Amino acid sequence: MKLYKLLIVVLLAALLVPAAYAADAEPKTGGVLISSLSSDPKNLDPATIAAWDQTVIAPNVLEGLFRMSPDGSEVENALAEDYSVSDDGLVWTFMIREGAKFHNGRQVTAADIKYTFERVLNPETKSPKAGSLLNVVGAQAFVDGDAEEVTGIKLVDEMTLEITLQEALAPFKAMLASVNLAAVPQEEVEEWGEDFGFNVVAAGPFKLGEWNVNQDLTIDAFEEYWNGRPYLDAVKFRFIGDENTRITEFDAQNLDIAWVPPAHWDRFFNDPVFNEKLGWAHTFHTDFIAVNLEKEPFGSSTDLRKAMRYALDMDAVIISLQGRATIAQGMLPAGLLAYDEDAVLYYPRDINMAKDLMATAGYADGVPGDFDVIMPNWGNLIVIMEIYQANLAEIGINININPMDFGTYLEAMDSGNYELAWMYRVPDYADPDGFYYPLMFSGNIGGGGNWARYNNPEVDAEIQKARASTDDAERVTLYHEIETHFVEDLPYIPLTHNIYVDVSQTYVMNYVPSPVDASQYQKVWLDK
């Protein structure tokens, strides 16, 4: 415990060190920043973006009515210069920004937003985010082919859009900041057809440049961007799958930014130069052990689930992760509405308490048999799971670590064909609803994200009330009530919140890593 506390003190001190030299220097225009992706994103059509390598680039090229701030702390106006919401929360009116242009030079209009949203909803597009717009009046009829347009999306005039919802939806603004809802011009979509994703035209601060398949992709500064031309001339993303190769390229100054792998952590952290160039992001990421509540013995016994949490040595896990994570106090990470920074860990490591709960559950001598914990086949994760495996064995719960290919793993999670599983959640939008609604609302059992198959009518009602409320204070109260249910029922055993750490070259200025893996480069500049 003392070692863990010392590690945290050292890391917190590091976070207070300035992130870049010459912080007060005048920004310079020009130059090409070189970053990397693990693989070729293949497609940047906003409607169909789903993979990590796509989302990393997306906020630099794409833009919708709203966007996340670079540090992920708030939702900012983007193509919407202003907006208003009716008192009942149903009618949203958006004033499109004068001077906001597509990369082809044309002004963005309200009709473009309507076209974009209807394209996302169109079943032929196969957008993974179509569901985020189904609360719009007339959306379902459009999806079903019973209407030629979405009646709840109206053009008030050329630069004003009105959207009417069936039910008030508090996180709607945050949902509209999704890159999947970024505006696209109809004429370009129709011209490129199936190749639009490889020739995307949008309205972000950078436009698509040279794309060498399976080698690299360059985005160029958009001179007519409404919020000012980026300082950089371009950002080049090289496709490098191996993390050690990326560090080798960084050392040779062939990369300007690179994620710091565990094997190279000590070197950069203890380097007096590069320590100051470490970029830290407390991500909106929570990982947990999902418990299938329909399977015995863990599903029917809250005492067993609580015993598991008490048995876990989370301090050892944080040390194994080199301090690049925090212990999850509950489901919500810091930075989201309703996160309680004063919360204490509900289940600190306490083997005696764990054994008492095992006895109460009727398993004083341990749970007979072995139980698979399914998980993706990720090397670093297996090491952490081995710590949990040893911890649980101490109280008589024997688990088998069962790595699977990701597709098979997700199918098992969605269908409920598992007993225990490691899983994580990164919300689609920066709102507590992005955690509680998919994970705990009973309507999302079976493919909607409620992997535990949790069904509590009282929680369902609280989630729906929180979604509909436009009063943040009321929502905070409701989410605290939901979190109380979560802690009592423990359908998911919370583990950690990830801290993303990368390193940049000494001449990279004003770079801020993103808590949602979507760093923005508009205000980044090179001091060389």
Side-chain angles (χ1 to χ4, degrees), residues 162-455:
E162 181 182 277
I163 296 180
T164 303
L165 305 180
Q166 300 177 76
E167 299 176 348
L169 184 60
F172 190 53
K173 177 181 176 181
M175 294 166 75
L176 291 177
S178 168
V179 292
N180 293 95
L181 301 180
V184 292
Q186 182 175 356
E187 68 271 21
E188 299 287 351
V189 174
E190 293 177 350
E191 177 181 345
W192 290 106
E194 293 183 358
D195 293 329
F196 178 68
F198 196 71
N199 299 275
V200 69
V201 175
F206 292 85
K207 61 183 180 180
L208 197 61
E210 185 176 6
W211 193 334
N212 298 307
V213 177
N214 294 327
Q215 295 183 43
D216 57 60
L217 183 157
T218 300
I219 56 176
D220 298 324
F222 180 38
E223 298 286 346
E224 297 182 86
Y225 182 59
W226 66 267
N227 198 28
R229 178 201 189 278
Y231 295 124
L232 297 167
D233 289 335
V235 180
K236 183 176 184 177
F237 297 90
R238 296 177 56 198
F239 309 147
I240 306 173
D242 181 70
E243 60 190 31
N244 291 310
T245 301
R246 290 196 289 266
I247 292 299
T248 299
E249 290 296 279
F250 179 86
D251 287 340
Q253 294 195 350
N254 294 325
L255 283 180
D256 295 321
I257 298 173
W259 176 69
V260 181
H264 297 272
W265 168 252
D266 288 342
R267 173 164 68 93
F268 286 112
F269 186 76
N270 294 317
D271 187 298
V273 174
F274 284 112
N275 177 278
E276 296 190 14
K277 298 300 294 184
L278 293 173
W280 302 72
H282 285 260
T283 66
F284 296 155
H285 171 290
T286 302
D287 71 308
F288 45 83
I289 296 174
V291 180
N292 187 337
L293 300 181
E294 296 177 352
K295 298 289 183 76
E296 297 292 343
F298 303 102
S300 63
S301 175
T302 55
D303 287 330
L304 269 184
R305 299 196 292 274
K306 291 177 181 179
M308 291 174 68
R309 185 61 180 83
Y310 275 117
L312 300 183
D313 188 350
M314 298 310 302
D315 290 348
V317 170
I318 299 301
I319 291 171
S320 178
L321 291 170
Q322 301 167 316
R324 295 192 289 178
T326 58
I327 300 173
Q329 312 285 12
M331 187 54 68
L332 292 185
L336 292 182
L337 180 75
Y339 172 79
D340 185 0
E341 63 182 12
D342 296 323
V344 296
L345 184 64
Y346 296 106
Y347 300 99
R349 177 166 167 80
D350 188 331
I351 292 296
N352 291 330
M353 176 66 78
K355 289 181 176 179
D356 288 346
L357 286 165
M358 292 283 289
T360 301
Y363 298 98
D365 297 323
V367 181
D370 295 344
F371 302 90
D372 283 355
V373 178
I374 65 172
M375 54 171 280
N377 190 16
W378 298 342
N380 288 341
L381 177 58
I382 293 173
V383 174
I384 300 303
M385 290 303 301
E386 288 172 346
I387 296 176
Y388 298 141
Q389 184 181 45
N391 295 158
L392 294 174
E394 292 182 61
I395 61 171
I397 296 176
N398 298 309
I399 64 170
N400 301 315
I401 301 170
N402 185 7
M404 311 172 76
D405 75 82
F406 203 75
T408 304
Y409 160 74
L410 282 182
E411 183 178 347
M413 295 293 294
D414 289 341
S415 64
N417 187 24
Y418 78 97
E419 293 170 313
L420 301 170
W422 178 91
M423 188 35 119
Y424 70 99
R425 175 73 186 167
V426 178
D428 297 327
Y429 43 95
D431 190 274
D433 184 73
F435 279 94
Y436 294 124
Y437 179 68
L439 289 172
M440 298 183 69
F441 186 69
S442 64
N444 288 320
I445 294 174
N450 186 342
W451 296 300
R453 310 180 89 74
Y454 180 74
N455 189 342

Side-chain angles (χ1 to χ4, degrees), residues 446-467:
N450 186 342
W451 296 300
R453 310 180 89 74
Y454 180 74
N455 189 342
N456 184 327
E458 186 176 352
V459 170
D460 282 351
E462 290 170 343
I463 288 174
Q464 289 179 310
K465 189 174 181 181
R467 298 191 100 207

